[in-house]
Amino acid sequence: MNNNKQSTPVLTDPFGRRIEYIRLSVTDQCDLRCFYCMPEGYRDFEEPKHWLSFDEIERVIRAFSTLGTRRVRITGGEPLVRKDLPVLINKLNQLDGVEDLSLSTNATRLHKQAQQLSDAGITRINVSLDTLKAERFKQITGGKFDKVMAGLMTAKQAGFKPIKINMVAMQGINDDEIEDMVEFCIEHDFTLRFIETMPMGDTGRQASEHYLDLKQVKQRLSERYELIPGTMPGGGPARYVQIAGSDLRIGFITPISQHFCETCNRVRLSVDGTLYMCLGQEHKFELRPLLRAGISDEELLDVIKHAITLKPEKHEFSSKPQQTVRFMSMTGG
Ligand code: SAM
Ligand code: SF4
């Protein structure tokens, strides 16, 4: 990663938003089945022959970085199930222009991989964690809580900073644990972000029955803690507060109650090489056929510039909740 070389940012969408962030899904597979994300028993994954290879991914990210994209987040599905991920990270870490390489994970495999990921060039990670109760964790995700805790603690020891905990806050599911999660994050020096459920696919729509407006969560926290304005590097949509007298920053990601489409700075690349322009819309552009047909580097830049012109103005999660058929893990959340 070279922080000194600057390329001219030229990727601007039709609404004047600069695209400087790409979320890169390295797999649509996952070893958990969070009920708001992936259906139980789901196995209809993309065929391996359709997965972009590490060389193909590197090419696309290089092109984006030439066009001014500074931030890359590796996600999925669960990114740590993709074999040899540190090899890809190492490649991406060498690219001029990429200043920030981060990872979102469910942490089930962090216990084994944290050090390798750190050595390869990941400095900051986001970990999904919706509950601190082992039995509840099993109900929400189908997985083992102890494994995730072991992964988180190994990541802490490996020195990732910050470690952000992503908690999808849901009425009647885990809203009784909001304060416990705050205390847990203070104790471990993690950052905490609450996320509103999004109606993505049938799973997301069913989970939206438990939708919790994060304004209520903020109000509840303000009754117990003194909240002061907070900031956090990262380029994402979270709005932060800090708890006075502690280092804890709490972010609120509110796609439903207070959407942030006007500042959207990102696109998503799925494992099969499709660029998705918006989480909540179908606008997309398929890069894989062109990459495999031998497109030149120059043409690839033009194609990406064209793809960005397809970016819609906003999602319509509230007005058209039935619209998004893909669930989150297919797009790269
Ligand atoms: N497997 C990794 C993880 O869980 O962090 C990365 C991919 S996951 C799809 C990325 C994020 O999407 C997670 O924080 C997860 O909680 C969130 N997510 C998935 N489905 C969602 C939904 N319907 N509404 C809101 N957030 C969702
Ligand atoms: Fe897997 Fe992440 Fe989706 Fe949970 S949210 S099922 S961990 S991809």
Side-chain angles (χ1 to χ4, degrees):
M1 191 153 37
N2 184 335
N3 292 339
N4 297 322
K5 284 197 187 174
Q6 297 288 319
S7 52
T8 321
V10 288
L11 268 191
T12 303
D13 81 356
F15 303 95
R17 297 170 296 196
R18 248 169 63 178
I19 306 305
E20 45 146 28
Y21 184 175
I22 185 160
R23 292 181 74 102
L24 166 64
S25 173
V26 292
T27 179
D28 58 345
Q29 299 187 12
C30 188
D31 50 359
L32 296 184
R33 290 289 180 276
C34 302
F35 79 95
Y36 48 73
C37 180
M38 221 190 264
E40 211 181 326
Y42 182 82
R43 294 215 56 81
D44 190 13
F45 297 115
E46 199 54 69
E47 289 179 57
K49 66 178 181 201
H50 292 157
W51 300 350
L52 289 196
S53 67
F54 287 173
D55 285 344
E56 288 169 328
I57 293 174
E58 183 192 10
R59 235 189 125 194
V60 175
I61 301 298
R62 178 183 289 117
F64 266 93
S65 74
T66 305
L67 293 169
T69 298
R70 298 271 171 268
R71 300 172 188 276
V72 180
R73 174 168 293 275
I74 297 169
T75 181
E78 172 46 41
L80 302 191
V81 308
R82 177 96 187 230
K83 198 162 166 274
D84 296 329
L85 186 65
V87 173
L88 174 67
I89 292 168
N90 219 341
K91 280 174 181 283
L92 300 182
N93 201 26
Q94 311 292 324
L95 294 176
D96 288 350
V98 175
E99 291 171 3
D100 180 35
L101 194 53
S102 57
L103 175 86
S104 288
T105 175
N106 64 25
T108 55
R109 298 173 186 221
L110 261 187
H111 181 53
K112 289 200 179 130
Q113 297 190 27
Q115 195 56 53
Q116 274 176 295
L117 294 166
S118 169
D119 293 346
I122 296 286
T123 53
R124 43 190 211 94
I125 58 171
N126 290 0
V127 172
S128 287
L129 185 66
D130 300 325
T131 175
L132 295 167
K133 299 179 196 250
E135 190 49 38
R136 187 177 280 179
F137 185 84
K138 176 119 194 117
Q139 284 163 0
I140 294 175
T141 71
K144 292 200 176 106
F145 179 72
D146 292 351
K147 253 171 125 180
V148 168
M149 275 302 127
L152 251 181
M153 295 311 144
T154 311
K156 188 176 160 183
Q157 278 158 17
F160 292 102
K161 191 97 183 136
I163 295 176
K164 295 181 186 166
I165 302 294
N166 282 340
M167 176 181 187
V168 180
M170 293 168 283
Q171 194 110 49
I173 302 282
N174 60 358
D175 55 337
D176 55 341
E177 291 191 71
I178 303 272
E179 289 82 2
D180 290 349
M181 200 62 96
V182 166
E183 297 299 328
F184 173 77
C185 289
I186 291 177
E187 181 188 341
H188 291 286
D189 199 18
F190 298 149
T191 296
L192 175 59
R193 288 128 51 92
F194 297 108
I195 306 178
E196 290 178 345
T197 46
M198 284 172 258
M200 295 197 62
D202 289 340
T203 45
R205 271 186 287 279
Q206 276 159 25
S208 292
E209 289 169 17
H210 300 279
Y211 169 73
L212 179 59
D213 182 334
L214 291 183
K215 281 199 281 301
Q216 292 175 30
V217 172
K218 195 169 170 186
Q219 173 61 31
R220 198 166 118 184
L221 290 175
S222 70
E223 286 161 15
R224 172 141 168 196
Y225 304 98
E226 185 189 346
L227 303 181
I228 55 177
T231 53
M232 193 75 203
R239 296 179 176 89
Y240 282 94
V241 297
Q242 192 172 339
I243 291 196
S246 87
D247 288 334
L248 179 68
R249 282 156 180 86
I250 304 177
F252 297 88
I253 302 180
T254 56
I256 308 298
S257 65
Q258 206 182 349
H259 77 72
F260 32 79
C261 300
E262 65 283 356
T263 56
C264 185
N265 59 356
R266 63 198 53 199
V267 291
R268 293 173 162 82
L269 181 65
S270 67
V271 65
D272 68 343
T274 305
L275 276 176
Y276 285 100
M277 301 299 148
C278 173
L279 262 188
Q281 301 274 13
E282 292 303 317
H283 305 64
K284 62 183 178 185
F285 190 93
E286 290 178 20
L287 291 177
R288 191 186 73 245
L290 300 175
L291 292 169
R292 295 197 178 166
I295 190 175
S296 71
D297 287 346
E298 197 89 334
E299 286 164 331
L300 182 56
L301 296 180
D302 286 340
V303 157
I304 290 173
K305 283 188 220 166
H306 164 70
I308 297 301
T309 66
L310 305 175
K311 193 166 163 66
E313 185 178 8
K314 56 185 182 190
H315 69 66
E316 293 169 300
F317 284 140
S318 298
S319 56
K320 296 183 186 164
Q322 300 303 324
Q323 180 162 279
T324 315
V325 290
R326 307 183 309 272
F327 32 84
M328 187 73 96
S329 58
M330 290 165 127
T331 313

